[in-house]
Amino acid sequence: MSAERSRFDEAYARLVLSNTFIETSDYYKQRKERYWNTLRLMKPFLVQGQRMLDIGGGQFALLTKALYACDSEVADLDSRHRASIDSAGVAFHHLDLMKDDFRFERPFDLVMLGEVIGHVPAPPHWIFEKLSKILKDGGCLVLTTPNLFRLRNVLRMMMAKPIFTPFVMPEKDRPPGHFIEYDQMQLEWQMREAGFIVELSEHVQLDMGGSTVPARVGRRLATPLYRLRPVLRDNLLLVGRKV
């Protein structure tokens, strides 16, 4: 095991598994590899000491502060679990991406949208344009989200089973479910429409987790297929740079 991986494991156990967030502790145990792989793929865009905004639950803010000495902050629709953020000395902003103005004391070097855009009932470019205003020139927007064409969705459509939760408007401290997903070309277009240069765009398999044992086993059995047909992988990772 590398020293880098050992440092991540220690930080994840201390900052994520030992704290309370919106998901259950079992979720974070199952999804540990997703956080590790996301940070590994983000590494070329992470600079020690940079200002970073994590839009979401705050796990990436805690980890980037611990591992890269980032000046990390959190913005989230749900404030009910902010104690874990406050106790780490990380600034928390109660923010509705749809309704609120984005006002921060200083611009950021990097904004992270980890598994968030599929919960926002608006064209992504509209959100990206708002985020561009709080980024420094040359700053990066990093995005991960489920892939619309992932194998799980293909199989559920073939069986005429629902893919998404009901489409509703979010409210503070009452976040919506997962009601939309995007394909790679769509998100690349959305980033460019917001004025970003797309520096990285990939189909990735961030982990082999799942809410049920059959889902977890199925993902592992599908590994050869993911290698042959990357478009069937579970996740998309995009990085856009503000110009």
Side-chain angles (χ1 to χ4, degrees), residues 83-150:
S84 298
I85 308 301
D86 293 335
S87 64
V90 172
F92 179 91
H93 308 273
H94 199 190
L95 183 72
D96 185 330
L97 288 175
M98 293 286 295
K99 300 175 183 177
D100 293 341
D101 292 330
F102 297 179
R103 295 176 180 175
F104 298 90
E105 292 183 2
R106 293 178 291 144
F108 294 92
D109 299 287
L110 184 146
V111 172
M112 175 70 183
L113 276 175
E115 313 298 313
V116 169
I117 202 65
H119 303 274
V120 182
H125 73 82
W126 186 72
I127 300 298
F128 299 162
E129 288 165 8
K130 296 177 74 173
L131 295 175
S132 177
K133 296 175 182 178
I134 63 171
L135 271 171
K136 296 178 181 178
D137 291 342
C140 289
L141 172 63
V142 179
L143 165 74
T144 66
T145 194
N147 169 31
L148 176 62
F149 297 150
R150 56 188 170 137

Side-chain angles (χ1 to χ4, degrees), residues 24-227:
T24 65
S25 60
D26 284 343
Y27 171 89
Y28 294 108
K29 290 176 183 176
Q30 290 178 19
R31 298 299 184 177
K32 178 180 177 180
E33 293 306 303
R34 176 164 70 85
Y35 288 92
W36 162 248
N37 285 317
T38 300
L39 287 171
R40 180 177 57 82
L41 293 167
M42 284 173 59
K43 189 176 179 180
F45 306 96
L46 285 169
V47 178
Q48 187 170 1
Q50 70 182 358
R51 276 181 55 73
M52 181 269 195
L53 178 65
D54 176 10
I55 298 181
Q59 296 83 22
F60 285 110
L62 298 179
L63 292 169
T64 54
K65 180 181 179 182
L67 299 172
Y68 297 96
C70 289
D71 180 10
S72 302
E73 300 184 13
V74 177
D76 195 13
L77 182 70
D78 196 326
S79 66
R80 291 172 295 174
H81 303 280
R82 64 175 291 178
S84 298
I85 308 301
D86 293 335
S87 64
V90 172
F92 179 91
H93 308 273
H94 199 190
L95 183 72
D96 185 330
L97 288 175
M98 293 286 295
K99 300 175 183 177
D100 293 341
D101 292 330
F102 297 179
R103 295 176 180 175
F104 298 90
E105 292 183 2
R106 293 178 291 144
F108 294 92
D109 299 287
L110 184 146
V111 172
M112 175 70 183
L113 276 175
E115 313 298 313
V116 169
I117 202 65
H119 303 274
V120 182
H125 73 82
W126 186 72
I127 300 298
F128 299 162
E129 288 165 8
K130 296 177 74 173
L131 295 175
S132 177
K133 296 175 182 178
I134 63 171
L135 271 171
K136 296 178 181 178
D137 291 342
C140 289
L141 172 63
V142 179
L143 165 74
T144 66
T145 194
N147 169 31
L148 176 62
F149 297 150
R150 56 188 170 137
L151 182 60
R152 174 260 194 195
N153 289 358
V154 173
L155 294 175
R156 290 186 72 87
M157 289 184 72
M158 289 175 63
M159 295 184 290
K161 289 188 175 182
I163 297 175
F164 308 124
T165 61
F167 200 120
V168 297
M169 288 297 291
E171 298 289 342
K172 283 186 175 178
D173 296 330
R174 195 180 64 183
H178 184 82
F179 50 72
I180 193 167
E181 292 181 4
Y182 299 95
D183 62 78
Q184 184 182 35
M185 291 181 62
Q186 174 71 249
L187 281 179
E188 288 179 1
W189 184 92
Q190 296 285 340
M191 275 200 167
R192 293 189 181 104
E193 183 69 8
F196 287 88
I197 294 175
V198 178
E199 293 216 342
L200 179 66
S201 176
E202 293 184 0
H203 294 95
V204 292
Q205 190 64 35
L206 293 176
D207 66 26
M208 294 294 180
S211 58
T212 64
V213 171
R216 296 192 289 273
V217 172
R219 283 188 170 92
R220 294 192 179 279
L221 292 175
T223 298
L225 183 59
Y226 294 150
R227 292 180 182 141

